[in-house]
Amino acid sequence: MLNWPIPGGTSAHFVGGAFAGILLGPSLGVLAMTAVVTIQALVFGDGGIIALGGNLFAMAVVDVLVGYAVFRALRGVHETGAAFVAGWGAITVSALAVGVGVGLSSAFAYELGVTVPIMVAGHALLGLIEGAITAAVYGFLANARPDLVLGRFESDSPSPEVGL
Amino acid sequence: MNALVSDAWGRRALLALLVLVVLAPVFGWASGAVGYAEPLENAAEATGATDAADPIAPGLLPDYAVPGLAGPLGTLASAAVGTALTLAVALGAGRLLER
């Protein structure tokens, strides 16, 4: 629901899956995003109940896992930079998953050639803002409360209180 | 709450939140000014999928609107409701996992 406009009549919203993956690790990140996306569908009618599976796959699974993997791969190079690339890359890959998914459906007339470019180009651009927010919040949190960032140190268990 | 006010990071976090809250209506105005649409909606428009949409269960507060509260006010109230609900669900899930 956090939308920002871009010139040309498009806007998109912060998803936050990559941030959840970075902060909570893959399993708890998927769980947290599942709660968010499900509440958006059930309470606010943002994404239907029939589409919930597809939306969860894109925003709670692909977004979280890609963001987590990209961050882990790049954090040795530059920590905040890795958070930016993770936020941007994860939302763009998720958009690709949605573009392919809807492009294969009859409602979208199987027009993969239309849905994939619109989704990927739109989110590759808007993902810059997702990346910026991810990096800014991560940088702030890692600086102020490094104890809240799970997996920041190699010795960290996935979560101190939660056995997974 | 005390930690939020006494710690330096807590004060900065509260300040950042306050700035975002104050800026929220600007985002609302700007998205209206350029015509609100998401890439998925553009894709649906381009392929004719919009016509296939047939909502059967619109949700409790459809489109983040609250009956009786005009536009941005309703969205603001929805934000509070959604945040509180998400926090409650997350805390509940956390408690279950701690067992």
Side-chain angles (χ1 to χ4, degrees):
Chain A
M1 70 170 295
L2 182 57
N3 278 271
W4 51 85
I6 57 172
T10 310
S11 84
H13 54 90
F14 184 62
V15 175
F19 183 69
I22 292 170
L23 197 65
L24 300 168
S27 2
L28 291 178
V30 167
L31 190 64
M33 286 306 295
T34 299
V36 170
V37 173
T38 306
I39 285 173
Q40 286 184 315
L42 295 184
V43 180
F44 301 111
D46 199 0
I49 296 169
I50 295 171
L52 188 55
N55 282 330
L56 284 175
F57 178 71
M59 288 183 276
V61 178
V62 175
D63 198 27
V64 172
L65 297 187
V66 171
Y68 175 76
V70 171
F71 178 73
R72 294 286 289 206
L74 297 180
R75 68 174 174 173
V77 184
H78 189 282
E79 214 175 329
T80 315
F84 176 85
V85 179
W88 173 80
I91 200 75
T92 306
V93 174
S94 306
L96 172 65
V98 173
V100 171
V102 297
L104 290 174
S105 80
S106 58
F108 286 77
Y110 305 109
E111 292 194 56
L112 269 171
V114 176
T115 58
V116 169
I118 290 181
M119 284 302 286
V120 172
H123 285 87
L125 185 58
L126 296 156
L128 296 174
I129 304 172
E130 171 108 13
I133 296 179
T134 304
V137 180
Y138 176 81
F140 175 73
L141 207 62
N143 183 36
R145 294 290 303 274
D147 53 309
L148 290 181
V149 183
L150 296 179
R152 187 144 188 258
F153 309 104
E154 287 304 331
S155 59
D156 276 0
S157 68
S159 171
E161 292 88 17
V162 176
L164 282 177
Chain B
M1 195 65 203
N2 279 339
L4 273 182
V5 182
S6 59
D7 292 354
W9 76 268
R11 276 199 301 272
R12 271 183 296 157
L14 280 179
L15 191 69
L17 284 175
L18 195 69
V19 170
L20 282 177
V21 168
V22 172
L23 281 180
V26 179
F27 281 95
W29 168 83
S31 63
V34 300
Y36 172 93
E38 291 176 13
L40 187 56
E41 288 173 342
N42 296 342
E45 205 68 56
T47 56
T50 312
D51 304 330
D54 180 19
I56 47 170
L60 295 176
L61 304 170
D63 266 336
Y64 304 96
V66 179
L69 282 178
L73 271 181
T75 311
L76 213 58
S78 289
V81 171
T83 308
L85 263 177
T86 309
L87 182 64
V89 169
L91 281 177
R95 287 280 153 78
L96 286 175
L97 282 171
E98 272 177 337
R99 292 212 178 141

